[in-house]
């Protein structure tokens, strides 16, 4: 497998994509959606091989569930592509055009990023999703999916490439690296000549590997050690609702709450009832010494707990004596994802929103809303937890860049 | 030298900086400017040591000139800080706040990047400049200057830290890594726990080293293999003026023209007179076979020339048969900096602006305008030639990021 060839083909295809208008791109997305549904039987057949291998390799039930393709899920993938077709295209917009004193007209034009690499794990549905987002923004995409899903991913990519071919568009708008060798992946992460941006989608381990090894600019996504701070003045019913929602509505996601931070003055009023409700939902509670006495069926938290993203039915509980201590604790242990305060106090709410360093900071709402759809972006390629380029849910615009365009009439610099 | 301690101190100082308002920041910038001028004699004395070492080490005249601090240059540095004080502060602006259907108010707030690392070469003036830009945007900065300028840089940093101390502000708003060991620099590039962004300022070699070794997000700056394409329909006098300006007004800069691309149909009309003028200015001309015959005193260009950023009195000349061939050539060899077309043809101008992949694309103007001041940004930390986060001249906004702030009244996700 020659990665340089793959890169060169992607770059060539992208030149074509950059010239397509939005209507043409939307037509292809709708065709792809229809073709995926038409080919559902074939996709499921390919997926069966991965599922069988997964079972043989003792893949966990959770992972098998993520891996599994059904007719319903294929319809979901198709629906996602159709939703993308309905969104406005960010490419081409010119903002802030000004006339400079020397007469130069200078504006910033939104343009495709170019070639985007996406490295992900055994989730076949990411394939169509990532292609759709990149295609809508006139980017070529090179995919490197997990080896456990290789047959499913290949079948989906082949289906999309057939759709492109039938529409007389460059099939290399999407390419899949089928070689699952680790060295190939490392080489891919250094393909700076061809790849403009690399996005890892998966667990903390995958993301760390990419950040450590890539010389291509990377956007880190996903890790979320999210806190909810219940202030002294909080409406305790509201606090309980928000915490139960953020912890238990879906536990395996990055915007779920992992740690409850409680003002010590209301710990005795909040914790007994709340902890009983959480225990009913099978949430294991890991409390610090002060919280322990008020918490039903808790175990003692260790220092390690404060930095943990459990992605499970576990919640740590930390008491603090002020909003400042809460902010300091959160800024020390968080992963820059989503943080919330529950309070009636105007100044504490503003302080928390101002001083907590994270992609999304909430007053009086569940952290579970950090999501491209909930934020009104219409689509999401991931949630950036880094500060460069894009922070928080990334929609189509995060897959674009800008260039300055300048209209002159002979200006030279003196 | 313990880099983790430096990082931790920077992070702590930044928490303080983030709470400062614009007026307080401006006052400090003006104080720093005044203090630099007051301490000019001391700075020049420190610089004398570097200059003497430079001469001993046979530093080139050009580098010695860059290294040299004079009263006038120190006034220039001070003036730069005062100009920064006069600029609006991008931090704190909230854009696009919307009310979602569930009542959540979601907006994007501009916030400091955090801790910024800057690695540069033997140019002492970068020190005050980088500090000023970072301070104005409430970022702490860790500087790693070139070893050849270490005494000058240290004197400037000490002066700024005294100003901070006298103003009862955290001195660790600026720190200098004085250890010039290569291993220390490598370790610095992996300080992801503390440093949010790394900006190398210097030659292509420095930038490559940082990109290869850094695990901190990097913004690449500066390399410019800039082309000017003279189209068939160009006003040839305008073309000559623009080329002479872009090539010779200042040769050692990244937005200088390195390659002339000429439509073959006008090569015979443009090149004889233009090449004579360029030769008068001592520009060496490296022409392809078609251009060679029309070009005064040219040598034959080799394949290598097309990819070269000379930063010198040298210009390569390439003939093409169409605007498409020009665009293809430029997109193959350019470094994503600044590219220009000279033409009277509406469609070719639009095509060039659309299809050339670079940070700044010009119709009928000199590439020398790619600059933060010329673009109206008021200041510049460098010119980004990458696509992530910032592209083209980077002003204060490039040193900031955003976070979502969300005002709720008890919303939970269903």
């Amino acid at each position: 497998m020659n990665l340089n060839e793959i890169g060169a083909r992607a770059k060539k295809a992208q030149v074509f994509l950059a010239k397509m208008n939005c209507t043409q791109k939307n037509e292809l997305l709708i065709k792809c959606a229809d073709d995926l549904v038409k080919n559902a039987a074939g996709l499921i057949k390919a997926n069966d091989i991965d599922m069988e291998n997964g079972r043989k390799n003792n893949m966990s039930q959770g992972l098998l569930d993520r891996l599994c393709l059904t007719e319903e899920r294929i319809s979901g993938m198709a629906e996602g592509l159709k939703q993308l077709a309905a969104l406005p295209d960010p490419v081409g917009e010119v903002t802030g055009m000004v006339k400079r004193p020397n007469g130069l007209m200078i504006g910033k034009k939104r343009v495709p990023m170019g070639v985007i690499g996406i490295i992900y794990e055994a989730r076949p549905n990411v394939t169509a999703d990532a292609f759709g987002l990149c295609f809508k923004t006139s980017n070529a995409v090179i995919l490197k999916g997990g080896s456990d899903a290789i047959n499913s991913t290949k079948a989906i990519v082949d289906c999309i490439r057939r759709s492109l071919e039938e529409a007389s568009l460059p099939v290399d708008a999407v390419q899949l690296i089928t070689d699952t060798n680790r060295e190939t992946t490392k080489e891919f992460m250094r393909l700076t000549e061809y790849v403009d941006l690399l996005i890892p989608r998966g667990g903390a381990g995958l993301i760390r590997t990419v950040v450590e090894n890539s010389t291509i600019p990377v956007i880190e996504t996903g890790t979320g050690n999210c806190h909810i701070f219940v202030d002294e003045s909080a409406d305790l019913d509201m606090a309980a609702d928000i915490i139960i929602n953020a912890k238990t509505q879906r536990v395996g996601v990055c915007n779920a709450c992992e740690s409850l931070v409680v003002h010590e003055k209301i710990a005795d009023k909040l914790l007994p009832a709340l902890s009983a409700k959480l225990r009913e939902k099978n949430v294991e509670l890991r409390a610090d010494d002060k919280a322990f006495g008020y918490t039903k069926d808790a175990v003692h938290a260790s220092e390690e707990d404060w930095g943990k993203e459990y992605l499970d039915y576990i919640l740590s509980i930390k008491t603090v004596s002020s909003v400042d201590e809460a902010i300091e604790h959160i800024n020390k242990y968080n992963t820059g994802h989503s943080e919330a305060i529950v309070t009636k106090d105007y100044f504490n709410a503003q302080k928390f929103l101002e001083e907590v360093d994270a992609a999304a900071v909430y007053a009086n709402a569940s952290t579970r809303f950090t999501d491209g759809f909930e934020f009104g972006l219409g689509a999401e390629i991931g949630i950036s937890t880094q500060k460069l380029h894009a922070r928080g849910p990334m929609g189509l615009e995060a897959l674009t860049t800008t260039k300055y365009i300048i209209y002159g009439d002979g200006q030279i610099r003196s």
Side-chain angles (χ1 to χ4, degrees), chain A residues 317-341:
Chain A
I317 306 179
K318 160 91 185 164
T319 47
V320 293
S321 61
S322 67
V323 65
D324 287 300
E325 194 189 340
I327 291 170
E328 204 183 323
H329 174 81
I330 290 170
N331 281 343
K332 183 169 176 190
Y333 291 104
N334 84 349
T335 53
H337 199 293
S338 300
E339 308 297 337
I341 184 174

mmCIF file of all heavy atoms in Angstrom, chain A residues 317-341:
data_model
loop_
_atom_site.group_PDB
_atom_site.id
_atom_site.type_symbol
_atom_site.label_atom_id
_atom_site.label_comp_id
_atom_site.label_asym_id
_atom_site.label_seq_id
_atom_site.Cartn_x
_atom_site.Cartn_y
_atom_site.Cartn_z
ATOM 1 N N ILE A 317 -17.551 12.484 44.066
ATOM 2 C CA ILE A 317 -18.188 13.621 44.747
ATOM 3 C C ILE A 317 -17.140 14.341 45.590
ATOM 4 O O ILE A 317 -16.485 13.731 46.437
ATOM 5 C CB ILE A 317 -19.349 13.158 45.658
ATOM 6 C CG1 ILE A 317 -20.352 12.308 44.857
ATOM 7 C CG2 ILE A 317 -20.058 14.377 46.274
ATOM 8 C CD1 ILE A 317 -21.517 11.773 45.676
ATOM 9 N N LYS A 318 -16.999 15.629 45.326
ATOM 10 C CA LYS A 318 -15.983 16.438 45.985
ATOM 11 C C LYS A 318 -16.677 17.634 46.650
ATOM 12 O O LYS A 318 -17.511 18.273 46.014
ATOM 13 C CB LYS A 318 -15.014 16.919 44.895
ATOM 14 C CG LYS A 318 -14.161 18.113 45.223
ATOM 15 C CD LYS A 318 -12.855 17.685 45.828
ATOM 16 C CE LYS A 318 -12.042 18.893 46.266
ATOM 17 N NZ LYS A 318 -10.970 18.504 47.191
ATOM 18 N N THR A 319 -16.332 17.911 47.922
ATOM 19 C CA THR A 319 -16.895 19.109 48.560
ATOM 20 C C THR A 319 -15.889 20.258 48.487
ATOM 21 O O THR A 319 -14.678 20.040 48.554
ATOM 22 C CB THR A 319 -17.240 18.858 50.036
ATOM 23 O OG1 THR A 319 -16.131 18.210 50.657
ATOM 24 C CG2 THR A 319 -18.482 17.999 50.173
ATOM 25 N N VAL A 320 -16.424 21.467 48.377
ATOM 26 C CA VAL A 320 -15.579 22.674 48.361
ATOM 27 C C VAL A 320 -16.242 23.724 49.250
ATOM 28 O O VAL A 320 -17.433 23.631 49.558
ATOM 29 C CB VAL A 320 -15.409 23.244 46.935
ATOM 30 C CG1 VAL A 320 -14.605 22.308 46.059
ATOM 31 C CG2 VAL A 320 -16.770 23.558 46.314
ATOM 32 N N SER A 321 -15.440 24.744 49.612
ATOM 33 C CA SER A 321 -15.981 25.762 50.527
ATOM 34 C C SER A 321 -16.347 27.064 49.809
ATOM 35 O O SER A 321 -16.809 28.009 50.452
ATOM 36 C CB SER A 321 -14.959 26.058 51.626
ATOM 37 O OG SER A 321 -13.783 26.557 51.029
ATOM 38 N N SER A 322 -16.133 27.109 48.503
ATOM 39 C CA SER A 322 -16.458 28.346 47.768
ATOM 40 C C SER A 322 -16.474 28.078 46.278
ATOM 41 O O SER A 322 -15.948 27.060 45.805
ATOM 42 C CB SER A 322 -15.392 29.415 48.047
ATOM 43 O OG SER A 322 -14.159 29.008 47.473
ATOM 44 N N VAL A 323 -17.057 29.022 45.539
ATOM 45 C CA VAL A 323 -17.059 28.899 44.084
ATOM 46 C C VAL A 323 -15.620 28.965 43.555
ATOM 47 O O VAL A 323 -15.272 28.277 42.575
ATOM 48 C CB VAL A 323 -17.970 29.975 43.428
ATOM 49 C CG1 VAL A 323 -17.437 31.386 43.673
ATOM 50 C CG2 VAL A 323 -18.125 29.746 41.933
ATOM 51 N N ASP A 324 -14.768 29.735 44.211
ATOM 52 C CA ASP A 324 -13.372 29.817 43.770
ATOM 53 C C ASP A 324 -12.667 28.469 43.884
ATOM 54 O O ASP A 324 -11.921 28.064 42.994
ATOM 55 C CB ASP A 324 -12.614 30.877 44.586
ATOM 56 C CG ASP A 324 -13.024 32.282 44.200
ATOM 57 O OD1 ASP A 324 -12.852 32.636 43.019
ATOM 58 O OD2 ASP A 324 -13.563 33.004 45.057
ATOM 59 N N GLU A 325 -12.913 27.792 45.013
ATOM 60 C CA GLU A 325 -12.290 26.474 45.178
ATOM 61 C C GLU A 325 -12.833 25.496 44.131
ATOM 62 O O GLU A 325 -12.096 24.663 43.593
ATOM 63 C CB GLU A 325 -12.536 25.949 46.601
ATOM 64 C CG GLU A 325 -11.645 24.755 46.936
ATOM 65 C CD GLU A 325 -12.010 24.084 48.261
ATOM 66 O OE1 GLU A 325 -12.679 24.712 49.113
ATOM 67 O OE2 GLU A 325 -11.633 22.902 48.421
ATOM 68 N N ALA A 326 -14.128 25.627 43.837
ATOM 69 C CA ALA A 326 -14.717 24.752 42.810
ATOM 70 C C ALA A 326 -14.043 24.987 41.460
ATOM 71 O O ALA A 326 -13.657 24.043 40.757
ATOM 72 C CB ALA A 326 -16.217 25.008 42.700
ATOM 73 N N ILE A 327 -13.880 26.261 41.107
ATOM 74 C CA ILE A 327 -13.261 26.596 39.812
ATOM 75 C C ILE A 327 -11.816 26.092 39.759
ATOM 76 O O ILE A 327 -11.385 25.512 38.758
ATOM 77 C CB ILE A 327 -13.321 28.129 39.576
ATOM 78 C CG1 ILE A 327 -14.778 28.561 39.355
ATOM 79 C CG2 ILE A 327 -12.449 28.535 38.380
ATOM 80 C CD1 ILE A 327 -14.989 30.077 39.349
ATOM 81 N N GLU A 328 -11.101 26.274 40.850
ATOM 82 C CA GLU A 328 -9.704 25.832 40.883
ATOM 83 C C GLU A 328 -9.615 24.310 40.712
ATOM 84 O O GLU A 328 -8.786 23.799 39.953
ATOM 85 C CB GLU A 328 -9.073 26.266 42.212
ATOM 86 C CG GLU A 328 -7.561 26.384 42.113
ATOM 87 C CD GLU A 328 -6.941 26.746 43.465
ATOM 88 O OE1 GLU A 328 -7.549 27.529 44.222
ATOM 89 O OE2 GLU A 328 -5.851 26.193 43.751
ATOM 90 N N HIS A 329 -10.494 23.596 41.443
ATOM 91 C CA HIS A 329 -10.509 22.128 41.331
ATOM 92 C C HIS A 329 -10.829 21.703 39.892
ATOM 93 O O HIS A 329 -10.158 20.844 39.312
ATOM 94 C CB HIS A 329 -11.546 21.557 42.312
ATOM 95 C CG HIS A 329 -11.759 20.089 42.179
ATOM 96 N ND1 HIS A 329 -10.912 19.158 42.757
ATOM 97 C CD2 HIS A 329 -12.692 19.374 41.502
ATOM 98 C CE1 HIS A 329 -11.336 17.935 42.447
ATOM 99 N NE2 HIS A 329 -12.412 18.040 41.689
ATOM 100 N N ILE A 330 -11.833 22.318 39.338
ATOM 101 C CA ILE A 330 -12.260 21.941 37.977
ATOM 102 C C ILE A 330 -11.161 22.258 36.957
ATOM 103 O O ILE A 330 -10.830 21.428 36.105
ATOM 104 C CB ILE A 330 -13.586 22.652 37.614
ATOM 105 C CG1 ILE A 330 -14.722 22.059 38.448
ATOM 106 C CG2 ILE A 330 -13.882 22.529 36.115
ATOM 107 C CD1 ILE A 330 -16.030 22.817 38.365
ATOM 108 N N ASN A 331 -10.562 23.435 37.072
ATOM 109 C CA ASN A 331 -9.504 23.787 36.118
ATOM 110 C C ASN A 331 -8.267 22.902 36.275
ATOM 111 O O ASN A 331 -7.477 22.753 35.346
ATOM 112 C CB ASN A 331 -9.130 25.264 36.247
ATOM 113 C CG ASN A 331 -10.140 26.156 35.546
ATOM 114 O OD1 ASN A 331 -10.921 25.694 34.716
ATOM 115 N ND2 ASN A 331 -10.140 27.434 35.883
ATOM 116 N N LYS A 332 -8.115 22.303 37.450
ATOM 117 C CA LYS A 332 -6.979 21.398 37.648
ATOM 118 C C LYS A 332 -7.228 20.033 37.013
ATOM 119 O O LYS A 332 -6.342 19.446 36.412
ATOM 120 C CB LYS A 332 -6.713 21.240 39.150
ATOM 121 C CG LYS A 332 -5.508 20.374 39.474
ATOM 122 C CD LYS A 332 -5.112 20.466 40.933
ATOM 123 C CE LYS A 332 -3.958 19.519 41.239
ATOM 124 N NZ LYS A 332 -3.720 19.427 42.694
ATOM 125 N N TYR A 333 -8.448 19.526 37.142
ATOM 126 C CA TYR A 333 -8.688 18.133 36.753
ATOM 127 C C TYR A 333 -9.478 17.950 35.461
ATOM 128 O O TYR A 333 -9.561 16.845 34.944
ATOM 129 C CB TYR A 333 -9.417 17.396 37.879
ATOM 130 C CG TYR A 333 -8.548 17.198 39.100
ATOM 131 C CD1 TYR A 333 -8.717 17.981 40.233
ATOM 132 C CD2 TYR A 333 -7.530 16.236 39.093
ATOM 133 C CE1 TYR A 333 -7.908 17.806 41.346
ATOM 134 C CE2 TYR A 333 -6.720 16.061 40.208
ATOM 135 C CZ TYR A 333 -6.910 16.842 41.332
ATOM 136 O OH TYR A 333 -6.104 16.667 42.418
ATOM 137 N N ASN A 334 -10.064 18.996 34.931
ATOM 138 C CA ASN A 334 -10.947 18.760 33.776
ATOM 139 C C ASN A 334 -10.139 18.504 32.503
ATOM 140 O O ASN A 334 -8.930 18.702 32.468
ATOM 141 C CB ASN A 334 -11.956 19.910 33.617
ATOM 142 C CG ASN A 334 -11.392 21.093 32.854
ATOM 143 O OD1 ASN A 334 -10.204 21.183 32.595
ATOM 144 N ND2 ASN A 334 -12.248 22.024 32.501
ATOM 145 N N THR A 335 -10.849 18.061 31.479
ATOM 146 C CA THR A 335 -10.187 17.784 30.201
ATOM 147 C C THR A 335 -10.585 18.827 29.153
ATOM 148 O O THR A 335 -10.444 18.594 27.949
ATOM 149 C CB THR A 335 -10.563 16.384 29.683
ATOM 150 O OG1 THR A 335 -11.997 16.301 29.662
ATOM 151 C CG2 THR A 335 -10.020 15.286 30.571
ATOM 152 N N GLY A 336 -11.145 19.933 29.618
ATOM 153 C CA GLY A 336 -11.486 21.012 28.690
ATOM 154 C C GLY A 336 -12.714 20.733 27.854
ATOM 155 O O GLY A 336 -12.854 21.240 26.747
ATOM 156 N N HIS A 337 -13.611 19.918 28.365
ATOM 157 C CA HIS A 337 -14.815 19.578 27.603
ATOM 158 C C HIS A 337 -16.004 20.420 28.079
ATOM 159 O O HIS A 337 -16.158 21.556 27.643
ATOM 160 C CB HIS A 337 -15.084 18.077 27.742
ATOM 161 C CG HIS A 337 -15.980 17.512 26.696
ATOM 162 N ND1 HIS A 337 -17.306 17.854 26.592
ATOM 163 C CD2 HIS A 337 -15.748 16.620 25.707
ATOM 164 C CE1 HIS A 337 -17.849 17.206 25.576
ATOM 165 N NE2 HIS A 337 -16.922 16.455 25.014
ATOM 166 N N SER A 338 -16.811 19.912 29.004
ATOM 167 C CA SER A 338 -18.031 20.613 29.408
ATOM 168 C C SER A 338 -18.138 20.672 30.924
ATOM 169 O O SER A 338 -17.900 19.660 31.604
ATOM 170 C CB SER A 338 -19.260 19.888 28.854
ATOM 171 O OG SER A 338 -19.181 19.848 27.452
ATOM 172 N N GLU A 339 -18.474 21.845 31.459
ATOM 173 C CA GLU A 339 -18.532 22.056 32.908
ATOM 174 C C GLU A 339 -19.766 22.883 33.212
ATOM 175 O O GLU A 339 -20.113 23.781 32.447
ATOM 176 C CB GLU A 339 -17.279 22.812 33.384
ATOM 177 C CG GLU A 339 -15.944 22.205 32.930
ATOM 178 C CD GLU A 339 -15.692 20.814 33.475
ATOM 179 O OE1 GLU A 339 -16.291 20.459 34.518
ATOM 180 O OE2 GLU A 339 -14.909 20.057 32.850
ATOM 181 N N ALA A 340 -20.421 22.585 34.364
ATOM 182 C CA ALA A 340 -21.651 23.323 34.691
ATOM 183 C C ALA A 340 -21.678 23.766 36.143
ATOM 184 O O ALA A 340 -21.115 23.104 37.014
ATOM 185 C CB ALA A 340 -22.871 22.455 34.387
ATOM 186 N N ILE A 341 -22.338 24.892 36.376
ATOM 187 C CA ILE A 341 -22.640 25.349 37.735
ATOM 188 C C ILE A 341 -24.154 25.368 37.873
ATOM 189 O O ILE A 341 -24.867 25.707 36.930
ATOM 190 C CB ILE A 341 -22.054 26.765 38.003
ATOM 191 C CG1 ILE A 341 -22.305 27.191 39.459
ATOM 192 C CG2 ILE A 341 -22.609 27.819 37.042
ATOM 193 C CD1 ILE A 341 -21.627 28.529 39.844
#
